[in-house]
Amino acid sequence: MFDYSPLWATMKSKNISQYDLLNLGVDKHMLDKLRHNQNITVLTLAKLCTILDCTPNDILHINKDTDK
């Protein structure tokens, strides 16, 4: 249901690596959840938006066609 491919594109365009996210307080368990399109908290989404200076649309796409 969730697709975090916009996150990886945003990170690339802003020249921020996964290693940078780790150094800025995003733990590796959370990165693993993002890699596997699993649920994250709104607080994590807000943290990523702050780090990347972007909006949730730059991080997340919700696929409405997928069953829950």
Side-chain angles (χ1 to χ4, degrees):
M1 178 165 194
F2 297 106
D3 174 21
Y4 295 105
S5 57
L7 168 65
W8 312 115
T10 299
M11 287 172 57
K12 185 175 182 175
S13 73
K14 294 183 180 267
N15 229 8
I16 295 178
S17 69
Q18 291 182 44
Y19 183 74
D20 293 328
L21 290 182
L22 288 170
N23 286 331
L24 293 167
V26 177
D27 68 38
K28 62 184 193 175
H29 176 70
M30 193 54 57
L31 280 176
D32 192 50
K33 288 181 113 180
L34 291 164
R35 279 189 222 101
H36 292 97
N37 293 321
Q38 296 175 343
N39 294 337
I40 62 170
T41 66
V42 174
L43 290 174
T44 299
L45 184 61
K47 185 177 206 172
L48 289 168
C49 287
T50 299
I51 291 169
L52 296 170
D53 188 29
C54 66
T55 68
N57 288 337
D58 298 318
I59 292 175
L60 166 70
H61 172 75
I62 298 174
N63 187 350
K64 298 175 188 174
D65 298 330
T66 306
D67 292 335
K68 293 181 182 179

